[in-house]
Amino acid sequence: MKSLFSSIAVAFLLLFAASIINTSEVKPPPSSPKLIALGKQIYNRQCGACHGAKGRGDGEAAYLLYPKPRNFVAAKYRMVSTWDRVPTDQDLFNTISRGMPGSAMPSWGHLPAEQRWALIYYVKSLAEKPLEVKPPKNPGPDGNGGEGVIQVSKEPPYDDAAKARALELYKDACASCHGSTGRGDGTEKQVDEEGYPTRPRDLTAGIFKGSPDPISLYRHIIAGIPGSPMPMSDWAYGDDAWHLVHYVRSLSGEKQRERVEMKKFEIVAPRVKELPDHPDSGIWRSAPRVNLHLMPLWWRTERPEELTVRALHDGKEIAFLLMWTDDTHDHTAMRPQDFRDAVAVEFSLTKDPPFFAMGEKSNRVNIWMWKSERQADLEPVFQDLEKVYPNLGIDAYPNLLRSPVEQASRHALTLESDKTFVTGWGAGNIVSDPQRKSPAEDLTAQGFGTLRARPRIDQKVDAKGVYAADSYRVMFRRSLKPSGKDAVALSPGSTMPVAFAVWNGSAGDRDGKKSVTIWQDLKIAK
């Protein structure tokens, strides 16, 4: 028991430490050919799938993403801290480290600082025109003439007079787009410079593409967001910019702002004598809870924000409990317009993981996926099309398992059919098998468009999902030892990269349209 509590304590300490990414005190190494070569290597593995092999924002995953990946050749960046609206190296470092909430750009803060700087120098080398930051020069009294990095003025107190001034400034300059209450419901029909639709930020949701710390926010208000309808506000330089900073930050809380940032945590799986056999088992209380931040690849405001994960093992098997909120129970996918809810666990087969979205050609990933309609097929019986189409007209296929007088011409249920004539089932496709015993699939992938079910004989992942009170609780369970090729091998005392994905059927999620986490560390206690 003592070792269990020690493991939990260590897990929470590490979790807290992992949530802190300090980008303001990192001294950059000088650029060099060696560092640029390192950056290219990391870029090809972690960034090219979205931003493209040559950095033009046309990677193979780009069609799944909104907002679209940045074109590094054009080098038109959103997060800048200069009067000239050119990013500094520190701006780029902050973006890589923190990611960009409100987009599919995740945090890479878990990479060593040297690797992040290597990425910056390589990305800068792709630009058609060099990124040059001028020496700092303060603007004149009218706000014009500033150059280089915006020098932040002394912060004034946010007293009653300042609050009144902030509200006046917001109503005059911001409310027409962001709305009178900051919910982004002002001018909603907008496009960016590339013609893609965009809309004003909901300031009450705490989603800031750039860092919401006061100094960064001050500079973003002054510089605006190049390429978007957010204009430069050089007129506010000085106390007025500070008043707006204080007002905008007051519209959301610190926890809100933290919840939208993609961060890396450690998930500890303690060893127990007996594993739970149900998502609601009391045994789960012995597993530390970790709240992972989810990111929709196609960004939307209504989304699952967090996924709560617990893990346990008994030396022979491992179990995961995944919990998330969802106000709709989408458990049928028979009509063309319907999509089901689902959740998946992705394992890297190596300690140095590939790109977190589906792996890469030379580095496969193993995926366990639970689907809500497959859970419904087991409770209480397989769902046939007639459940949603009671007057369905069907062809009558011969059934070699029955006599001629027993042949059905209507209401021939799948389970009562001869699988020889139910082609997917007859061909051995596990997706088409109405007699499957588990609502989970054991899959493998090596990049986009390569997802495959592992052989039937190796389908050893069991799962059970429960939906109640607008939330899902899904339990996975499998032997620590793998079965067959391309299955993850787990063992007590090991640490493995693991990632997660959630699909919301009512939002039209399917295939690559989903919410994901970045790689996390799964630590299996001895």
Side-chain angles (χ1 to χ4, degrees):
M1 184 62 72
K2 183 178 179 181
S3 62
L4 172 61
F5 285 119
S6 298
S7 297
I8 294 173
V10 170
F12 278 110
L13 285 172
L14 289 171
L15 186 154
F16 178 75
S19 69
I20 301 173
I21 299 175
N22 190 336
T23 61
S24 61
E25 299 179 1
V26 178
K27 185 178 180 180
S31 178
S32 67
K34 183 178 179 181
L35 210 55
I36 292 175
L38 173 62
K40 181 178 181 179
Q41 179 183 351
I42 299 168
Y43 177 91
N44 288 338
R45 188 171 196 189
Q46 306 291 5
C47 313
C50 296
H51 292 281
K54 298 187 180 298
R56 296 186 180 277
D58 57 354
E60 57 183 335
Y63 79 100
L64 296 169
L65 310 179
Y66 179 78
K68 295 302 178 186
R70 182 66 51 231
N71 182 337
F72 295 133
V73 177
K76 295 180 180 180
Y77 292 93
R78 296 288 196 260
M79 298 294 104
V80 299
S81 62
T82 66
W83 292 101
D84 316 290
R85 311 186 97 188
V86 175
T88 65
D89 288 355
Q90 187 67 49
D91 289 333
L92 299 176
F93 184 85
N94 292 347
T95 300
I96 287 176
S97 300
R98 181 177 179 268
M100 291 185 70
S103 77
M105 171 67 181
S107 164
W108 296 100
H110 56 280
L111 295 179
E114 182 188 36
Q115 292 187 16
R116 282 177 274 160
W117 282 112
L119 273 173
I120 289 164
Y121 296 140
Y122 175 69
V123 164
K124 287 179 64 178
S125 74
L126 299 174
E128 288 177 325
K129 297 180 180 179
L131 298 175
E132 297 181 359
V133 178
K134 297 179 180 179
K137 174 186 174 183
N138 286 335
D142 60 353
N144 294 320
E147 293 181 351
V149 176
I150 297 168
Q151 304 300 301
V152 178
S153 62
K154 184 179 179 181
E155 183 176 4
Y158 195 49
D159 52 23
D160 290 342
K163 291 178 182 179
R165 175 62 176 163
L167 188 57
E168 177 186 355
L169 291 168
Y170 180 85
K171 287 182 176 179
D172 289 344
C174 312
S176 60
C177 290
H178 291 283
S180 59
T181 59
R183 297 186 180 277
D185 53 0
T187 304
E188 296 185 12
K189 292 185 178 180
Q190 297 180 343
V191 294
D192 63 17
E193 67 177 3
E194 296 175 343
Y196 290 113
T198 185
R199 61 179 300 168
R201 181 68 58 216
D202 179 351
L203 300 174
T204 68
I207 303 169
F208 291 83
K209 285 190 175 182
S211 174
D213 74 82
I215 290 177
S216 296
L217 194 52
Y218 180 101
R219 287 175 170 147
H220 293 151
I221 288 174
I222 298 295
I225 301 181
S228 81
M230 173 70 180
M232 194 172 192
S233 300
D234 48 3
W235 51 266
Y237 183 69
D239 285 356
D240 281 351
W242 273 117
H243 298 331
L244 284 171
V245 167
H246 293 144
Y247 179 75
V248 168
R249 280 175 56 87
S250 73
L251 296 176
S252 62
E254 198 66 39
K255 289 185 178 180
Q256 274 182 291
R257 296 190 286 267
E258 288 182 359
R259 199 163 56 235
V260 299
E261 296 186 24
M262 300 294 290
K263 296 178 182 178
K264 186 175 183 180
F265 298 93
E266 184 176 77
I267 302 166
V268 176
R271 186 166 187 158
V272 293
K273 291 183 178 180
E274 180 184 2
L275 286 181
D277 58 2
H278 192 277
D280 295 333
S281 170
I283 300 174
W284 286 113
R285 289 195 293 269
S286 58
R289 179 178 65 184
V290 181
N291 294 327
L292 304 180
H293 304 166
L294 289 165
M295 168 186 66
L297 298 180
W298 192 276
W299 186 267
R300 59 181 184 268
T301 302
E302 298 298 326
R303 67 196 189 283
E305 294 186 22
E306 289 186 326
L307 177 70
T308 300
V309 178
R310 297 178 189 262
L312 292 167
H313 80 98
D314 63 359
K316 296 180 179 179
E317 292 184 287
I318 190 167
F320 293 88
L321 178 63
L322 311 181
M323 299 178 288
W324 73 100
T325 59
D326 188 336
D327 58 7
T328 58
H329 185 203
D330 307 307
H331 58 284
T332 59
M334 297 181 190
R335 301 184 306 169
Q337 64 268 40
D338 292 340
F339 302 96
R340 44 94 183 108
D341 298 324
V343 69
V345 188
E346 177 187 27
F347 297 92
S348 170
L349 300 181
T350 59
K351 289 189 176 181
D352 182 18
F355 184 53
F356 67 89
M358 309 302 288
E360 56 195 23
K361 290 182 180 178
S362 59
N363 205 339
R364 293 175 182 266
V365 293
N366 184 201
I367 298 170
W368 303 350
M369 187 173 184
W370 172 90
K371 298 178 180 179
S372 59
E373 92 276 13
R374 303 209 174 158
Q375 186 73 62
D377 282 347
L378 303 176
E379 300 172 356
V381 69
F382 180 77
Q383 300 181 92
D384 262 303
L385 278 172
E386 290 191 347
K387 181 174 181 178
V388 292
Y389 294 110
N391 298 316
L392 177 71
I394 63 170
D395 293 325
Y397 292 100
N399 190 336
L400 304 181
L401 304 178
R402 294 177 179 245
S403 67
V405 296
E406 294 177 310
Q407 300 286 328
S409 59
R410 291 281 295 178
H411 306 293
L413 298 177
T414 301
L415 286 172
E416 297 175 359
S417 300
D418 184 344
K419 69 178 182 180
T420 303
F421 303 100
V422 183
T423 53
W425 183 14
N429 187 334
I430 66 167
V431 175
S432 303
D433 186 356
Q435 295 180 320
R436 54 184 174 262
K437 304 301 181 183
S438 172
E441 293 177 18
D442 192 341
L443 311 162
T444 185
Q446 53 180 345
F448 295 100
T450 66
L451 187 66
R452 298 289 185 274
R454 298 183 61 245
R456 180 187 296 272
I457 194 173
D458 295 325
Q459 293 289 322
K460 305 297 185 182
V461 178
D462 195 13
K464 184 173 182 61
V466 175
Y467 180 84
D470 293 342
S471 66
Y472 276 106
R473 300 181 298 285
V474 175
M475 183 188 78
F476 288 94
R477 187 165 166 173
R478 198 210 75 175
S479 169
L480 289 170
K481 293 182 179 181
S483 173
K485 185 181 177 182
D486 298 329
V488 64
L490 303 169
S491 61
S494 65
T495 300
M496 291 294 295
V498 62
F500 302 86
V502 170
W503 287 259
N504 181 2
S506 62
D509 285 357
R510 71 274 194 192
D511 301 327
K513 188 171 182 285
K514 56 190 175 184
S515 295
V516 302
T517 74
I518 59 174
W519 287 117
Q520 313 294 322
D521 282 336
L522 169 65
K523 184 175 182 180
I524 305 174
K526 289 185 178 180

